[in-house]
Amino acid sequence: MTENAAPTNMGSTITQVPNPEPGTVDMMVNMGPQHPATHGVFRMELRVDGEQIQDLVPHIGYLHRGSEKLCEHELYSQIITLFDRLDYVSNFNNELVIVSAVEKLMDVAPPPRAELIRIIMCEFNRIASHLLFYGTFAIDMGAITPLLYNFRDREKIQALFESVSGARMMHNYFRVGGVKEDVADDFESRSLALCNELEYGIDETDRLLTENEIFLERTSGIGVISGEDALDWGLSGPVLRASGVPYDVRVEEPYSRYDELDFGIPVGSAGDCWDRFYVRILEARESVSIIRQAIALMEPGDTMAQIRRIARPPAGEVYAHCENPRGDLGVYIVSEGGDRPYRLKVRPPSFCNLQALRDLTVGHYIADAVVILGTLDIVLGEVDR
Amino acid sequence: MTSREPSGGENNLSNSGAKSTPAPVKRREPEVQRAAVVLPPEGLALAERLPEALATHEIEVGAAIDEVVCRVPADHLVDVCRQLKDDPAFRFDYLRLLTVVDYVEQDGEFEVVYHLYSMTHHHKMMVKTRLPERRPSISSVTGVWRGADWYEREMHDLFGVEFNGHPNLVPLVLPSDFDGFPGRKNYPLNDYEEW
């Protein structure tokens, strides 16, 4: 090209007048698997333009133990211990899923008192799990104080669990047909006293965080997902309800004695991070009310149905599910009539909720990715199994 | 037990040398009972409507405890799923679970099971389809429910089932260089050596 020739296309224009601005390229940022904000061994590969996320690839499987395959080789009573280790911050809720699945298959009903003990334990566990969520979520945004208060309360719940089952976590307390043993005489009074303390603790967190200006800046309008998309992705639990879908297994397909109890399903409207947080605050309050109602219904009686020690369900297939703190945890069992399942598959709520992470984060900033992941409240033990 | 079925013989670990044992001891084999089927009213209504609505797809309607089970040929699966989702009479908008069951020892087949739920009509069902043992492959339902994405990747890892049309069928729960399909029944549970 001669010097005086007119530019014929964009390319030649650029050669004549070089762009003074340096070219920018997208950068790959790796978060995890050993990163405190990923809440476990979870890795995200971010493609960022400056601070803005262009693409996100989640990598799971670092904790894959093949639990489902292991379950196929264990007695039904032994599987309960494996379920404890799925979602390891809401152990009772996991146990309830497997025992109710086997009970449904065998067509046995646990005694009414055992059902109420289970409900009380599960609701306490839901509060304990949500308390952990408030604290770690606040830490994700740099607020350390709430965690200290929440752990104080969570420790009280675990002390109660210890007095009932002998363990703070990994209880192995529920049995096919009931619970391991009756609760102590002072259980009811202790539970009621604990309810009051928890109510105070939840209010405290509410006052500390919910209306806090910095908190609002960081959470409202961030990571929005519509109810329709949330259903398409198979989300469940508080994440789905924050998007305005009133789906709660306790009401939708009542199990145990939840149909005798009166409680509300908190539902969000915007489907953003703030809604996902606040739905959990309201849910914990409902749990306190459920526990009080269940204690009022308690009557002396058996805690174990009259069934054989080694569960041997009939051949068939069953799908049972319960509302876990993280969502709809289900189990599909194929039985061939033996004392071990032929096939067992868990429907893991965290696994499904995590799928939507890419859609939620793209377009936001790196710091928001941490917040959005925090609101999904995943437990990797259950994501990877 | 003179005429033992092949699958029963393989499962029987204590009698591995079946030929040399004289007059096999009559093992107490409990009669296998089937779980009773009790369909709820909405399930009964669903089971009634299904054969008519899906008449062109060679389906077979059954039941398992409290759920309607619909068996579909593999090549009709995506059409059936799409119709179940879009038809206002069914509106199965929520894929609860997708899984594979290994029946290779019994029938030489894999079974893919879809657990569906309708948020509109509050009814549920299972859709099942059978795949041959050699090169099991089926169309992906990620176009119908996006939530099927990771389930299909996981089942591809563990059972080696190919989901045609899946946007990104790469290993999810297993390392990318892992050899074998650990979900299958023929994959040993404890096949490691101490070091």
Side-chain angles (χ1 to χ4, degrees), chain A residues 79-347:
Chain A
I79 294 175
I80 299 170
T81 63
L82 288 169
F83 266 65
D84 270 331
R85 285 150 181 83
L86 287 180
D87 177 354
Y88 42 72
V89 292
S90 51
N91 318 81
F92 278 124
N93 301 74
N94 292 338
E95 290 180 20
L96 184 60
V97 176
I98 181 69
V99 296
S100 53
V102 181
E103 282 163 5
K104 194 172 164 187
L105 195 55
M106 293 173 73
D107 198 18
V108 295
R113 186 177 169 84
E115 298 256 44
L116 286 176
I117 295 174
R118 284 180 182 179
I119 287 179
I120 295 167
M121 288 296 137
C122 286
E123 293 305 324
F124 269 129
N125 218 159
R126 189 184 313 277
I127 300 171
S129 168
H130 283 351
L131 286 171
L132 183 71
F133 162 76
Y134 310 144
T136 51
F137 182 49
I139 282 207
D140 283 342
M141 286 175 294
I144 297 173
T145 318
L147 184 89
L148 303 172
Y149 292 101
N150 292 327
F151 263 66
R152 174 200 65 195
D153 293 333
R154 186 167 173 266
E155 207 56 45
K156 290 175 193 161
I157 299 179
Q158 286 182 323
L160 181 80
F161 287 169
E162 194 176 7
S163 77
V164 172
S165 73
R168 292 168 70 251
M169 296 166 90
M170 316 300 161
H171 312 286
N172 191 18
Y173 176 66
F174 292 178
R175 294 283 185 271
V176 175
V179 293
K180 186 175 81 180
E181 58 198 0
D182 205 349
V183 290
D185 291 338
D186 65 344
F187 173 76
E188 292 175 26
S189 56
R190 277 186 74 174
S191 302
L192 287 173
L194 182 55
C195 278
N196 296 335
E197 292 176 41
L198 290 176
E199 212 162 39
Y200 181 79
I202 297 162
D203 287 348
E204 210 170 38
T205 310
D206 193 3
R207 283 201 304 275
L208 265 171
L209 286 175
T210 311
E211 302 285 322
N212 182 309
E213 202 171 331
I214 304 171
F215 183 81
L216 278 168
E217 284 285 317
R218 292 297 306 274
T219 55
S220 62
I222 305 290
V224 178
I225 187 164
S226 69
E228 212 170 285
D229 282 345
L231 280 181
D232 202 21
W233 275 118
L235 305 190
S236 57
V239 183
L240 178 62
R241 289 193 286 274
S243 298
V245 183
Y247 174 72
D248 186 316
V249 186
R250 292 174 292 178
V251 177
E252 198 84 7
E253 286 183 65
Y255 51 91
S256 201
R257 288 176 68 180
Y258 276 106
D259 47 352
E260 296 171 36
L261 305 166
D262 180 30
F263 58 96
I265 317 174
V267 172
S269 52
D272 59 1
C273 286
W274 189 84
D275 271 1
R276 290 196 279 275
F277 166 81
Y278 196 56
V279 158
R280 286 183 172 100
I281 291 268
L282 297 176
E283 220 174 84
R285 290 200 180 120
E286 293 293 334
S287 291
V288 173
S289 136
I290 292 174
I291 294 168
R292 289 201 177 116
Q293 293 175 45
I295 288 173
L297 286 175
M298 286 257 268
E299 277 173 11
D302 288 339
T303 54
M304 191 71 196
Q306 296 295 319
I307 55 163
R308 289 167 55 172
R309 284 181 75 89
I310 307 268
R312 194 181 272 277
E317 298 168 22
V318 69
Y319 179 79
H321 58 156
C322 299
E323 186 67 29
N324 254 36
R326 273 160 200 81
D328 174 0
L329 183 87
V331 61
Y332 171 59
I333 297 177
V334 180
S335 158
E336 300 232 304
D339 51 11
R340 292 167 170 82
Y342 182 75
R343 170 85 169 112
L344 188 146
K345 169 76 186 157
V346 180
R347 181 215 191 270

Side-chain angles (χ1 to χ4, degrees), chain A residues 1-3 5-8 12 15-16:
Chain A
M1 195 186 290
T2 57
E3 258 179 49
T8 50
S12 57
T15 48
Q16 281 188 336

